[in-house]
Amino acid sequence: MKRKNVVLFSIIILLAYFLVLPVNAESITYYGYNNQPDNLAINAEASTSKKVASMPIGASVRLASLTKYNGKGCDSGWYQVYYTANKLGYVCSSTLNIYAVSSDYNTDANFQSQLNAFPDSYKPFIKYLHSVYPNANFEAYNTGLDWNTVINEESRYTNKNLIQITDNDKEGWKNPAGNNQVFDGVDWYSASVDMIKYFMDPRNFLNEKYVFQFEKLSFNESTQTVSTVENMLTNTFMANNSIKDNNGNNISYAKTIFEAGKENSTSPLHLAARIIQEQGIDGKGASISGTVSGYEGYYNFYNIHSYKSGDRNAIQNGLYYAKGSQNNDTSYGRPWNTPYKAIKGGAQWIANGYINVGQDTLYTQKFDIIGPQYYGNQYMQNIQAANSEGGSEYKAYNKVNNYKNITYTFSIPVYNNMPSNTYFASIKAGESTNSGTNNSVGNNSQNNNNNNNSGGSSSAPAPTVKYGDLNGDNNINSIDMLRIKKHILGVSTLSGNSLKAADVNKDNKVDSIDMLRIKKHILGIIKIS
């Protein structure tokens, strides 16, 4: 009897021991980023009935769970997501790319030393990225800058960070200090402080695709070849297309861009992405048409110096620079009177002005946090440009065999006194979404203009409306027709100058007749004037 009691007591002790042992349960949080070529609606219910927020291209949200809810307008089912710290909405599951962030990914000694350099709020994302890109190097770039100071500086001038707003239900994306002024085209406005916070917070883009805005842009012969450039140019105006070199010989766009990168110790994939971003996949940008009045025969593939100056609009000022400016300057191979010269000379300008002075990621070219002169040397005004171009570089690598095993180097900024999280702005004006603690151009835009001065906002005249040109890129094409179609179907709503430009027959309404006239213009049957 005594022996039985001893055995029973031992079993009880053992059970108690195992019951109090810490359980190493895997902690997984699911996120999804917008995989659509346009902004994405977040709805109040699992249907399309009531829109409560609009999710920018490439933006991420945290999923409440992987449960899919049935509802109108989404055959694949609706995910419930957090679009602020504590507000839930619904997004169609097929429009999100899901990624799982866990605290329990395996780490090796070399990676562990890299991981230790990041704050705790970064670590789950860095671990996830290491599981995707096991050979990549992850550098924590400690800026030494205070987060709130950075945001104040970036929002100081209303023309420094612009965002395209084509629908009238995104007033919350605008900076009220911009006084509803259009700074470029017909629908580019000053971005709200919340949107600046969202796109400046690196943690919002630490996923498989958009991490490439943090890739170092120096030349790497082992990963960057003519072939990888060709892959990147697939389905663009440069694919399988040639231009003339300085000797009059045919040379492919891919080889030209590769040589431009190698000669300037710059990633040719970055150069290709920059051209696509600035001129569009169809190459219809006015800066490379060679036909702009007063600047015939001049080209500016990267839209260098393309910002409004005096009486010159952004396109004219960029071509003024391409021509040699006032004193017929010959630096950077100017005048850029051939596409070849513009690509080669522009690459040298980018390398000398940004990459070779330490702004060697897309992120730091958009947000000048390098110093010693901060915030002024910013290549583009479009607040989404770094994110968009990073996505383009990912697509190029994605076509390369074993692209996940390439030895990339990602330099990811860290600021002092960062908030727990940031969120993209609500669609409602004045409704801040950055108070929480739980937990970023449709087509390629012409508006990623470099802006090398930090001057204040100017009182620019109201833009001239060109009928049929809804997005203000000085072209009338299928993109404009698609926008009218969405307006007619109620998918999105045009406003301001975009709405005026859509009324092609000037009968004070936008309908299928206007869309048909644009189609006829594209086909060359009529000419819209």
Side-chain angles (χ1 to χ4, degrees):
M1 184 68 180
K2 189 173 181 181
R3 178 177 175 80
K4 287 182 179 178
N5 288 338
V6 170
V7 172
L8 181 61
F9 180 76
S10 300
I11 291 173
I12 292 171
I13 294 297
L14 285 170
L15 284 172
Y17 174 78
F18 284 111
L19 285 172
V20 299
L21 278 177
V23 179
N24 187 25
E26 187 176 19
S27 174
I28 299 176
T29 305
Y30 293 95
Y31 294 83
Y33 64 81
N34 178 1
N35 63 22
Q36 300 297 293
D38 205 344
N39 302 316
L40 185 61
I42 300 178
N43 300 294
E45 302 170 347
S47 74
T48 55
S49 59
K50 184 182 179 182
K51 183 176 177 181
V52 292
S54 193
M55 187 174 172
I57 300 167
S60 294
V61 285
R62 180 168 62 91
L63 273 63
S65 72
L66 289 179
T67 302
K68 293 183 181 180
Y69 298 85
N70 294 325
K72 178 184 175 182
C74 180
D75 294 338
S76 60
W78 295 84
Y79 282 132
Q80 192 176 45
V81 304
Y82 288 94
Y83 67 95
T84 73
N86 49 22
K87 291 184 179 180
L88 288 165
Y90 293 83
V91 176
C92 183
S93 60
S94 62
T95 62
L96 296 178
N97 276 35
I98 305 302
Y99 57 106
V101 175
S102 169
S103 58
D104 296 320
Y105 288 115
N106 293 328
T107 61
D108 54 76
N110 180 56
F111 171 68
Q112 188 64 48
S113 66
Q114 297 177 25
L115 184 66
N116 290 341
F118 287 93
D120 289 344
S121 63
Y122 282 68
K123 287 178 179 177
F125 298 100
I126 302 299
K127 287 181 179 181
Y128 153 72
L129 287 170
H130 177 62
S131 74
V132 178
Y133 302 113
N135 296 323
N137 296 306
F138 298 93
E139 297 179 355
Y141 175 64
N142 290 298
T143 64
L145 301 174
D146 176 76
W147 170 259
N148 293 313
T149 299
V150 170
I151 297 302
N152 287 338
E153 290 296 330
E154 284 291 336
S155 57
R156 181 187 296 273
Y157 302 108
T158 53
N159 63 346
K160 181 180 285 291
N161 291 291
L162 305 184
I163 192 163
Q164 190 174 32
I165 300 177
T166 57
D167 303 334
N168 59 9
D169 62 354
K170 300 186 185 69
E171 290 298 314
W173 290 16
K174 293 181 185 177
N175 181 358
N179 296 318
N180 213 36
Q181 178 182 347
V182 176
F183 285 90
D184 204 353
V186 297
D187 49 17
W188 285 85
Y189 297 86
S190 179
S192 69
V193 175
D194 276 355
M195 292 303 266
I196 294 173
K197 288 179 180 178
Y198 183 83
F199 282 99
M200 284 206 75
D201 191 337
R203 297 168 297 183
N204 291 325
F205 305 101
L206 297 181
N207 56 57
E208 177 180 340
K209 182 175 183 178
Y210 292 104
V211 70
F212 282 89
Q213 66 183 285
F214 307 111
E215 183 196 10
K216 283 198 168 180
L217 299 177
S218 52
F219 181 74
N220 186 337
E221 196 159 11
S222 65
T223 62
Q224 298 159 1
T225 65
V226 174
S227 178
T228 56
V229 177
E230 286 174 343
N231 286 333
M232 188 166 202
L233 301 184
T234 301
N235 297 324
T236 74
F237 71 98
M238 296 178 283
N240 303 313
N241 207 350
S242 297
I243 54 179
K244 299 288 186 182
D245 66 15
N246 289 337
N247 296 317
N249 299 316
N250 287 331
I251 183 171
S252 69
Y253 272 107
K255 187 174 182 182
T256 302
I257 294 169
F258 173 79
E259 290 179 354
K262 186 174 183 178
E263 291 164 4
N264 293 286
S265 301
T266 298
S267 166
L269 296 180
H270 165 55
L271 298 177
R274 180 58 50 82
I275 293 172
I276 295 168
Q277 178 75 17
E278 297 293 339
Q279 307 306 333
I281 59 174
D282 57 1
K284 297 295 185 181
S287 297
I288 61 173
S289 68
T291 61
V292 174
S293 178
Y295 302 94
E296 292 86 353
Y298 294 97
Y299 305 85
N300 192 336
F301 273 69
Y302 308 99
N303 274 346
I304 292 168
H305 279 254
S306 293
Y307 52 84
K308 187 181 183 329
S309 179
D311 295 332
R312 293 186 296 272
N313 64 30
I315 298 298
Q316 291 169 337
N317 199 57
L319 292 173
Y320 175 73
Y321 183 83
K323 191 175 181 179
S325 303
Q326 183 175 356
N327 298 318
N328 295 319
D329 199 329
T330 59
S331 62
Y332 304 113
R334 289 182 290 168
W336 296 337
N337 52 11
T338 68
Y340 183 83
K341 287 183 178 180
I343 292 172
K344 287 288 190 83
Q348 185 183 3
W349 184 93
I350 291 171
N352 289 355
Y354 293 90
I355 294 171
N356 294 343
V357 296
Q359 290 175 261
D360 59 350
T361 68
L362 291 166
Y363 180 95
T364 55
Q365 288 184 23
K366 170 64 192 103
F367 303 112
D368 181 10
I369 56 168
I370 299 300
Q373 301 296 324
Y374 295 99
Y375 314 116
N377 193 41
Q378 300 192 170
Y379 187 89
M380 49 282 219
Q381 292 168 289
N382 178 0
I383 198 168
Q384 295 174 267
N387 192 44
S388 176
E389 291 186 35
S392 295
E393 296 202 13
Y394 165 80
K395 289 178 182 177
Y397 282 126
N398 191 258
K399 297 172 183 176
V400 178
N401 289 334
N402 297 315
Y403 76 96
K404 290 185 177 181
N405 292 316
I406 291 175
T407 306
Y408 306 105
T409 297
F410 299 112
S411 178
I412 302 168
V414 175
Y415 301 93
N416 296 333
N417 303 313
M418 294 184 74
S420 298
N421 300 94
T422 57
Y423 298 89
F424 47 85
S426 167
I427 58 175
K428 295 180 182 179
E431 181 181 333
S432 175
T433 60
N434 284 316
S435 59
T437 57
N438 289 332
N439 224 86
S440 356
V441 48
N443 211 324
N444 296 310
S445 166
Q446 307 288 334
N447 295 285
N448 306 316
N449 307 322
N450 49 300
N451 188 8
N452 296 323
N453 52 51
S454 55
S457 61
S458 59
S459 55
T464 301
V465 173
K466 178 179 178 180
Y467 289 100
D469 178 21
L470 278 67
N471 63 351
D473 65 354
N474 207 33
N475 293 289
I476 301 174
N477 52 34
S478 58
I479 299 171
D480 302 296
M481 191 165 69
L482 178 61
R483 287 191 171 177
I484 281 194
K485 183 178 180 180
K486 286 184 175 182
H487 176 84
I488 294 170
L489 294 174
V491 176
S492 61
T493 305
L494 296 170
S495 63
N497 288 312
S498 294
L499 182 62
K500 292 178 183 177
D503 183 17
V504 178
N505 65 349
K506 305 172 189 176
D507 64 352
N508 294 320
K509 60 182 179 181
V510 176
D511 53 25
S512 58
I513 296 173
D514 299 297
M515 188 168 70
L516 179 61
R517 289 184 69 84
I518 288 182
K519 182 177 181 180
K520 287 183 176 181
H521 175 91
I522 294 170
L523 295 173
I525 299 173
I526 65 170
K527 184 173 180 62
I528 296 175
S529 59

